Amino acid sequence: MRQDQEDPYQRRSAQVYAVADRAGSGSVASPRPVLYDAVLLDRDGTLIEDVPYNGDPEKVRPVPGARAALDRLRAAGLRLAVVTNQSGLARGYFTGAQMRAVHARVEELLGRFDAWLVCPHDDADGCACRKPAPGLVHAAARELGTTASRCVLVGDIGRDVAAALAAGAAGVLVPTPVTRPEEIAAAGWVATDLPAAVAEILRRQQAVQPAVPPAEPVRTALVVRSDSAGDVLVTGPAIRAVAAGAQRVVLLCGPRGRAAADLLPGVDEIIEHPLPWIDPTPGPVDPGAIRGLTARLAAVGADQAVVFTSFHQSALPLALLLRMAEIDRIAAISDDYPGALLDIRHRVPVGVPEPERALSLAAAAGHRLPDGDEPVLRLRRDAVPPRPADLGDPGYVVLHPGSAASSRACPPELATRIAGALTRAGHRVLVTGGADERAVTARVAAAGGIDLGGRTDLAGLAAIVADASAVVVGNTGPAHLAAAAGVPVVSLFAPTVPFGQWGPYRVPTVRLGDSTAPCRDTRAASCPVPGHPCLSDVDPDEVVDALRTLAVSGGGGR
């Protein structure tokens, strides 16, 4: 394929795969494209001081700043619910009447909540509602008339965050002295206290809403995401936001992201060209190729350019080319001083999920998702081919052990044991991978499953993922394909990059692996620690248990 290649697509009316298409996803999409409808709060240690097995209203003490923080949420139109484990009921330490008296006192001090959801069971009961199971989160979402993906749960221990993730909600950890260090390390979003958590919830909510529309109508918008397939997929919501406010959208991407670009709704034309300041293994800079790219960008005739990057990348080299291409309005995230290169220099705090980071840049450029469009990953349905008939009925588990970055791949010996454990538990397993991963997929599938290594391109893989009950995968492109199809994920997440930014977005997820491993936050492409300790100690039975938590049963059912 040529360095500079573009194809036209008319995609505005294309059907899309989306989370809302999945059975059991809850109520229909809100007409308001906001991140959250509701905030769910743990009780003990989050709203009030933790008094073990408290049945006495006189012992209720709110945490500092709780009332003012909750009133800020109420004023913003967010509904509030308490989701709390109360095993003291099962153990007979207090009665239901005493618990209700405690709750009445909480409301007297902190204001009324829209719902109270209580798990009365002990761990030994094996219920579906006791956190870290997601039952309370789903129940709260139903009670509040929304979906779990539009909820954020604030809690003080790992169980709270795990319950949120397993339901597809956002989870905020507010540590206390009883919070374990490994729970803090595993949490994707950590706040110092309840008021800080509330402030960040409201900031993120506001960040995806444009303060002002573009000064002039946008006829042609150039959007840029030059990176891998997963990077392009997580930028999808922001590209749809730009498409809602522009008559024509041209996407500049690199060769590694082209297959994903073909799957995105809202794109009318694609320009493929590698950017040597973005690619992880770039060749020498070719002045002729750069001049050719600049001329091609000028020919687009864009009224506006929105340059999307990851948190560790610079938009400024491309911004210079865009200025040379005489594009007048350029927006990008930049911590570095941009001089005259940017018209909109946007800033985003560390830790924001990549889809929201990109959405906030689109909003800064004056664009938002149209009414009824959820801020989730989506795929064009007409770009995804039919699933091969020889794979049988939907409801299998996809196991994808590989990754373009070996540091984020599942070790083959572990993947082999996972395949065996899943098969013994009654799951049908499809093992997927690229053409260069056939030896690994064959080895893994020999322990149980169908080997699909090298049999699909990205669009074909999307078709297989869309009919799965769950995907077991590391931090790599198929995790984001699963999120785009609303398919639950067991995330074997190597902590080389932050989970809060790169974990599966707004889809039920169980995270496995050692989040405190020495490779944490190194961004290493190859494992810097012998033995791959962040994943090698995962017990295959944990994967089986994770599927059970996600309500994925053996035999292909959910």
Side-chain angles (χ1 to χ4, degrees):
M1 186 174 291
R2 302 192 313 273
Q3 272 196 320
D4 184 353
Q5 183 169 332
E6 42 99 1
D7 288 314
Y9 291 90
Q10 297 301 322
R11 304 178 175 186
R12 297 309 178 98
S13 61
Q15 291 181 309
V16 294
Y17 284 114
V19 171
D21 292 335
R22 298 289 291 185
S25 61
S27 61
V28 296
S30 165
R32 295 185 306 123
V34 297
L35 294 178
Y36 311 118
D37 290 327
V39 178
L40 316 181
L41 300 116
D42 175 56
R43 195 190 83 175
D44 302 314
T46 302
L47 287 174
I48 59 176
E49 294 178 2
D50 188 5
V51 178
Y53 306 112
N54 182 30
D56 183 357
E58 296 303 315
K59 295 180 179 179
V60 173
R61 299 286 184 274
V63 301
R67 179 61 190 254
L70 296 175
D71 284 345
R72 289 189 67 191
L73 296 174
R74 295 180 179 113
L78 290 161
R79 304 193 73 190
L80 305 182
V82 180
V83 288
T84 178
N85 290 348
Q86 293 298 325
S87 63
L89 286 170
R91 301 179 183 189
Y93 294 156
F94 51 81
T95 67
Q98 288 174 313
M99 181 187 71
R100 289 189 291 273
V102 167
H103 292 173
R105 179 59 174 164
V106 172
E107 291 199 324
E108 181 181 342
L109 295 171
L110 297 180
R112 195 181 75 83
F113 292 88
D114 297 292
W116 287 80
L117 288 301
V118 176
C119 172
H121 306 106
D122 201 356
D123 277 334
D125 294 331
C127 67
C129 56
R130 183 168 173 79
K131 296 176 288 185
L136 286 183
V137 181
H138 287 301
R142 288 192 298 269
E143 183 79 10
L144 299 176
T146 186
T147 61
S149 66
R150 296 177 69 88
C151 296
V152 54
L153 190 159
V154 184
D156 65 314
I157 60 175
R159 282 175 173 251
D160 300 313
V161 174
L165 292 178
V172 188
L173 184 70
V174 178
T176 68
V178 304
T179 312
R180 299 195 302 270
E182 58 268 28
E183 294 175 329
I184 298 172
W189 180 353
V190 179
T192 55
D193 54 25
L194 180 58
V198 167
E200 179 62 6
I201 289 168
L202 295 176
R203 190 206 64 78
R204 293 190 185 188
Q205 183 93 309
Q206 186 63 33
V208 300
Q209 298 296 326
V212 293
E216 300 176 5
V218 178
R219 295 184 300 275
T220 296
L222 175 70
V223 295
V224 181
R225 188 60 196 257
S226 182
D227 220 319
S228 66
D231 302 290
V232 172
L233 289 172
V234 299
T235 312
I239 292 174
R240 297 199 312 272
V242 175
Q247 297 175 13
R248 172 173 171 253
V249 172
V250 179
L251 170 62
L252 169 63
C253 68
R256 295 183 302 126
R258 173 58 189 266
D262 288 333
L263 300 177
L264 291 185
V267 179
D268 300 299
E269 188 175 312
I270 296 173
I271 299 173
E272 178 186 322
H273 198 291
L275 301 183
W277 55 91
I278 297 292
D279 287 353
T281 55
V285 174
D286 182 343
I290 297 298
R291 286 192 293 269
L293 173 61
T294 305
R296 179 66 189 89
L297 296 175
V300 169
D303 306 283
Q304 183 185 61
V306 185
V307 182
F308 297 106
T309 52
S310 288
F311 68 103
H312 61 282
Q313 298 169 342
S314 174
L316 298 185
L318 182 62
L320 177 60
L321 300 190
L322 296 173
R323 284 291 188 233
M324 295 174 68
E326 300 185 340
I327 295 177
D328 291 332
R329 287 184 281 165
I330 304 172
I333 296 171
S334 181
D335 291 324
D336 296 325
Y337 173 63
L341 297 181
L342 299 179
D343 300 287
I344 298 173
R345 178 195 185 188
H346 187 52
R347 301 285 191 92
V348 181
V350 174
V352 175
E354 287 285 315
E356 292 177 27
R357 187 175 187 272
L359 270 172
S360 73
L361 174 59
H367 303 288
R368 69 174 179 88
L369 287 167
D371 291 351
D373 191 357
E374 293 285 292
V376 296
L377 310 191
R378 298 187 187 276
L379 304 176
R380 289 176 48 225
R381 188 181 297 275
D382 65 332
V384 178
R387 182 173 54 85
D390 62 350
L391 298 182
D393 295 333
Y396 42 77
V397 172
V398 170
L399 173 58
H400 190 92
S403 172
S406 61
S407 63
R408 296 187 269 113
C410 178
E413 60 275 11
L414 173 60
T416 300
R417 291 189 290 126
I418 289 173
L422 293 176
T423 301
R424 289 190 296 273
H427 295 283
R428 286 188 297 135
V429 179
L430 306 186
V431 183
T432 57
D436 59 343
E437 297 168 333
R438 285 174 174 158
V440 172
T441 60
R443 173 183 171 183
V444 173
I450 298 173
D451 180 13
L452 299 182
R455 281 184 53 182
T456 67
D457 57 10
L458 190 69
L461 179 58
I464 291 169
V465 165
D467 278 340
S469 289
V471 177
V472 182
V473 63
N475 175 27
T476 188
H480 306 302
L481 282 179
V487 175
V489 177
V490 178
S491 179
L492 304 172
F493 197 93
T496 54
V497 294
F499 181 80
Q501 290 180 239
W502 287 105
Y505 187 64
R506 290 196 168 218
V507 69
T509 300
V510 173
R511 178 186 182 177
L512 299 178
D514 181 4
S515 56
T516 67
C519 64
R520 181 180 173 90
D521 295 334
T522 62
R523 299 207 303 268
S526 300
C527 184
V529 184
H532 214 351
C534 65
L535 295 178
S536 58
D537 289 339
V538 171
D539 187 332
D541 287 339
E542 292 182 84
V543 178
V544 176
D545 290 341
L547 291 175
R548 192 174 299 114
T549 296
L550 295 170
V552 177
S553 62
R558 286 198 71 198

